[in-house]
């Protein structure tokens, strides 16, 4: 992604106007697609890679739909050259992918693995040769199993191991990769991993989830410092979060309080320490019965509050929350984060998530692009003019290859179109959005849903590994070429 003076061109209809028009994006806007190592690479035990928590978790009966795992996934490890050719064919300007920590440094500590580093080096070279900018994420949820055995993200030492791993990756790839992301969605790592347990490592320990959130923040801070020490001047460091656009069910104080609680637990718990250098007081009070937060040691907030060059925002849908209803426990999974007997909303377990009207995606997630617009404006308003990028946005539908060989996914086209309009409206309103990455390039291993949910703009037949560009992929290529969306 290039930086510099930004000129917004295009039609001059007033911001927010609903009159359909051609909405041109800034000339240096970056168009990309995203994947993550465990979801696409496969080759789970090739080239010296050792197990991550997802290799272990996916083998626990009942944790993943159809007992699927990432052993083969989309076989991107072996097919990356073809996949990069596909990207180039779509006109992608950037590819956001993650490194597998246990491929780069098996076991999470000790000697780096040359074969693992070589794989990523070849991938980076291939991308650059095809004019696609590599955007690296260091941690997309696949902690080396040995580090989990030593306490996982509940163990402060994991943050230090992360910084070492960041330095190893930067030393090898930093001459060619300009944009680095420390973590992807630390909320999911902490609260789905250690509280609700729908993600690896599948633990149900609310206090550990809060500690994990802090250690993830610390990993981001220490990792950022390690990256800056290893990377050439001009390289940029980012963090990707999945902030919730939280809407209260009503303006009643109890509903507003529910929204405040969820906002603290999903948004401010990461954004405040990273961008302001403090944890929210209300969050500390909401969770005081679980922890005294003494895991935040002297100097930690200074380590965490180091400048970031870009904030990545992953957005899928807004949430509506209301006050607890007496005698009526909230229905698990309405929050969109998987059904569990254990809530991820630690300290605020009784907050009620409310189903939204309208036809949802195959994930059961509501479709409402206004949430993305409002979220971008809120971040801009509350945290200042930090450069933003949409690092994930997309939807799962029940795609299939028709008898004529085509994959028709008009719902995904409409999803992507409406969300790009929302991004454009935010840009017009003055928010500094530098790029957009659809989730995902390829159908892939969708965590606890296995291969049952398809998010790709490219269809993957997992039996043959055949790739078919979906109608949405062709549509996206047209958007990229025009640098504009209709709406
Ligand atoms: C995000 C994850 C990504 C994918 C999408 C659907 O939370 O970062 O890996 O699973 O959701």
């Amino acid at each position: 992604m290039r930086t510099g003076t930004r000129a917004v061109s295009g039609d001059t209809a007033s911001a927010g106007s609903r009159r359909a028009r051609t909405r041109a994006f800034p000339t240096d806007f970056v168009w990309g697609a995203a994947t993550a190592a465990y979801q696409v690479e496969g080759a789970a035990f090739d080239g010296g890679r050792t197990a991550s928590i997802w290799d272990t978790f996916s083998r626990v009966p009942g944790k993943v739909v159809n007992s699927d795992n990432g052993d083969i996934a989309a076989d991107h490890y072996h097919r990356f050259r073809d996949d990069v050719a596909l990207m180039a064919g779509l006109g992608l300007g950037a590819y956001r992918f993650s490194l597998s920590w246990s491929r780069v440094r098996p076991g999470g500590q000790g000697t780096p693995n040359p074969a693992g580093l070589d794989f990523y080096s070849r991938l980076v070279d291939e991308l650059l040769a095809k004019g696609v900018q590599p955007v690296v994420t260091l941690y997309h949820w696949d902690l080396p199993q040995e580090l989990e055995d030593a306490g996982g993200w509940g163990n402060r030492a994991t943050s230090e191991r992360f910084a070492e791993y960041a330095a190893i990756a930067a030393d090898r790839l930093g001459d060619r990769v300009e944009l680095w992301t420390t973590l992807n969605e630390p909320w999911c790592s902490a609260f789905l991993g250690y509280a609700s347990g729908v993600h690896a490592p599948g633990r149900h320990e609310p206090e550990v989830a809060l500690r994990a959130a802090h250690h993830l923040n610390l990993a981001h801070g220490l990792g950022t410092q390690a990256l800056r020490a290893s990377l050439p001047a001009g390289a940029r460091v980012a963090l990707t979060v999945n902030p919730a656009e939280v809407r209260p069910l009503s303006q009643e104080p109890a509903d507003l309080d529910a929204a405040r609680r969820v906002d603290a637990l999903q948004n401010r718990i990461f954004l405040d320490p990273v961008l302001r250098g403090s944890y929210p007081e209300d969050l500390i009070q909401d969770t005081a019965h679980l922890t005294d937060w003494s895991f935040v040691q002297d100097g930690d907030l200074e380590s965490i509050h180091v400048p970031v060059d870009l904030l990545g925002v992953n957005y899928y849908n807004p949430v509506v929350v209301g006050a607890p209803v007496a005698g009526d426990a909230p229905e698990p999974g309405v929050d969109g984060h998987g059904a569990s007997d254990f809530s991820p909303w630690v300290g605020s377990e009784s907050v009620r998530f409310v189903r939204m009207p309208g036809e949802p995606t195959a994930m059961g997630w509501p479709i409402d692009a206004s949430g993305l617009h409002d979220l971008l404006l809120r971040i801009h308003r509350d945290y200042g003019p930090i450069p933003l990028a949409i690092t994930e946005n997309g939807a799962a539908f029940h795609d299939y290859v028709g008898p004529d060989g085509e994959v028709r996914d008009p719902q995904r086209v409409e999803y992507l179109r409406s969300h790009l309009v929302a991004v454009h409206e935010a840009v017009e309103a003055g928010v500094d959005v530098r790029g957009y990455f659809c989730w995902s390039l390829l159908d892939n291993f969708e965590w606890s849903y296995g291969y049952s949910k398809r998010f790709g703009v490219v269809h993957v037949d997992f039996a043959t590994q055949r790739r078919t560009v979906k109608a949405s992929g062709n549509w996206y290529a047209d958007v990229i070429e025009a640098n504009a969306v209709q709406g």
Side-chain angles (χ1 to χ4, degrees), residues 53 107 109 139 143-159 161 189-190 193-194 200-201 203 205 207-209 211-213 215-216:
I53 53 176
Q109 49 192 331
Y139 186 71
L143 190 71
Q145 181 59 45
E146 291 82 350
L147 296 187
E148 174 55 33
D149 295 343
W153 286 110
N155 178 2
R156 189 180 170 87
T158 301
S159 313
R161 297 293 84 74
S189 300
Y194 294 88
R203 289 165 61 180
E205 297 161 67
E207 187 271 341
V208 177
R211 207 144 34 102
H215 292 151
L216 283 152

Side-chain angles (χ1 to χ4, degrees), residues 34-36 39 96 140-141 184-185 188 192 199 240 242 314-316 337 363 365 391-396 439-440 444-449 453 455:
T35 65
Q39 296 183 275
R96 173 180 182 257
H140 199 126
W141 306 354
N184 174 73
E185 301 191 2
C188 296
L192 301 183
H199 280 185
T240 278
N242 58 324
N314 292 355
Y315 173 87
Y316 290 90
H337 294 294
M363 294 293 283
W365 296 347
T391 37
E392 285 181 27
N393 176 239
W439 183 271
S440 176
N444 59 49
F445 176 81
E446 178 45 40
W447 309 113
S448 58
Y449 296 89
K453 304 293 179 207
F455 275 90

Side-chain angles (χ1 to χ4, degrees), residues 64-412:
V64 175
V65 170
N66 295 324
S67 302
D68 289 338
N69 61 48
D71 282 6
I72 299 172
D75 199 29
H76 184 60
Y77 182 82
H78 295 113
R79 295 167 193 267
F80 74 92
R81 289 186 202 282
D82 293 344
D83 291 339
V84 173
L86 259 176
M87 296 176 212
L90 294 174
L92 292 183
Y95 176 46
R96 173 180 182 257
F97 60 98
S98 76
L99 309 188
S100 157
W101 187 340
S102 47
R103 203 183 283 293
V104 168
R105 202 186 194 197
Q109 49 192 331
T111 322
N113 174 27
L117 285 163
D118 284 352
F119 166 66
Y120 294 113
S121 184
R122 286 194 301 272
L123 173 59
V124 165
D125 284 345
E126 189 71 17
L127 288 163
L128 293 172
K130 293 277 179 345
V132 182
Q133 181 192 352
V135 177
V136 164
T137 299
L138 286 166
Y139 186 71
H140 199 126
W141 306 354
D142 44 358
L143 190 71
Q145 181 59 45
E146 291 82 350
L147 296 187
E148 174 55 33
D149 295 343
W153 286 110
N155 178 2
R156 189 180 170 87
T158 301
S159 313
E160 289 155 23
R161 297 293 84 74
F162 176 79
E164 295 163 5
Y165 155 58
I168 292 166
D171 283 347
R172 183 60 195 275
L173 305 173
D175 56 338
R176 287 157 290 155
V177 175
E178 187 257 336
L179 181 54
W180 293 75
T181 309
T182 52
L183 310 175
N184 174 73
E185 301 191 2
W187 184 85
C188 296
S189 300
F191 295 100
L192 301 183
Y194 294 88
S196 73
V198 300
H199 280 185
R203 289 165 61 180
H204 308 292
E205 297 161 67
E207 187 271 341
V208 177
L210 291 165
R211 207 144 34 102
H214 175 62
H215 292 151
L216 283 152
N217 281 327
L218 187 60
H220 161 75
L222 297 177
T224 300
Q225 293 168 40
L227 287 171
R228 295 217 193 274
S230 300
L231 293 173
R236 289 178 299 149
V237 181
L239 168 69
T240 278
V241 288
N242 58 324
E245 166 60 16
V246 191
R247 295 177 169 169
L249 183 57
S250 79
Q251 293 302 308
E252 293 298 322
D255 289 337
L256 292 173
D257 191 60
R260 177 196 61 72
R261 284 172 171 269
V262 171
D263 180 53
L265 265 177
Q266 186 159 353
N267 300 334
R268 289 181 284 121
I269 189 173
F270 300 107
L271 296 178
D272 277 22
V274 171
L275 300 175
R276 291 181 173 160
S278 58
Y279 279 104
E281 262 316 308
D282 59 332
L283 170 71
I284 292 171
Q285 280 165 27
D286 293 344
T287 55
H289 57 295
L290 296 170
T291 175
D292 60 5
W293 288 73
S294 54
F295 46 72
V296 182
Q297 297 185 7
D298 285 352
D300 283 3
L301 284 160
E302 288 73 20
S303 299
I304 295 167
H305 183 218
V306 287
V308 287
D309 301 304
L310 183 89
L311 183 70
V313 173
N314 292 355
Y315 173 87
Y316 290 90
N317 55 269
V319 291
V320 177
V321 299
V325 175
D328 192 6
E331 187 187 339
V334 183
D335 59 11
H337 294 294
S340 168
D341 292 342
F342 302 86
S343 171
W345 304 103
V346 304
S348 296
E349 294 82 355
S350 56
V351 163
R352 202 157 43 99
F353 285 76
V354 180
R355 278 186 211 287
M356 293 174 65
E359 185 68 28
T361 70
M363 294 293 283
W365 296 347
I367 301 176
D368 184 345
S370 72
L372 177 54
H373 169 267
D374 295 354
L375 181 63
L376 292 172
L377 263 70
R378 183 270 168 110
I379 294 171
H380 180 77
R381 188 185 64 231
D382 287 1
Y383 294 95
I386 178 170
L388 305 176
I390 313 306
T391 37
E392 285 181 27
N393 176 239
F397 293 106
H398 300 291
D399 308 317
Y400 58 92
V401 183
D404 58 356
E406 302 285 321
V407 182
R408 293 183 178 77
D409 56 345
Q411 295 161 295
R412 182 173 293 102

